[in-house]
Amino acid sequence: MTADRPEEPTEVDARFLLAGERTLLAWLRTAMTFVALGVALVTLRHFGSGDVWPMVAAAASCVLGIVTAGWSYWHWRRIDEAIRSRASLPRTGLVAAGVVGGVVVIAVTGLVAVLARL
């Protein structure tokens, strides 16, 4: 490229944009799974005893689903804008670690509920 000729804009490779959308859909499937688990736990409580543990796990699961859905959209927008502007991709941050922590909390709550029934 010479100094007197400006750089021509190039089109963004659609594969990168579509990969970001597939990742968004994967996170949304995960969020829907958390919400479905919460609804299932509420439904199962009607067939079991009056333990509080299923409701705690249901609430934690639904909250985790809401947070995951919101974060995934926000993160996808940041990635999409970075790809389109050819900037550096942003880091995932602590939210992904928070989702993992939430899964651990739900699993421990389920384990405590099972052990309480023994």
Side-chain angles (χ1 to χ4, degrees), residues 2-84:
T2 62
D4 59 339
R5 202 169 92 195
E7 183 177 329
E8 294 180 23
T10 58
E11 192 66 29
V12 176
D13 191 352
R15 292 177 295 176
F16 298 120
L17 298 175
L18 294 174
E21 288 180 10
R22 284 191 301 273
T23 303
L24 170 66
L25 292 174
W27 277 103
L28 289 176
R29 278 193 309 270
T30 303
M32 288 183 357
T33 302
F34 288 134
V35 173
L37 173 63
V39 171
L41 289 171
V42 169
T43 304
L44 288 176
R45 182 172 187 237
H46 295 294
F47 297 110
S49 65
D51 290 342
V52 71
W53 292 110
M55 295 308 289
V56 170
S61 184
C62 286
V63 167
L64 188 59
I66 291 167
V67 169
T68 302
W71 173 80
S72 64
Y73 178 76
W74 174 76
H75 186 66
W76 169 73
R77 292 295 306 161
R78 289 179 54 212
I79 294 290
D80 191 67
E81 289 170 7
I83 290 172
R84 289 180 189 277

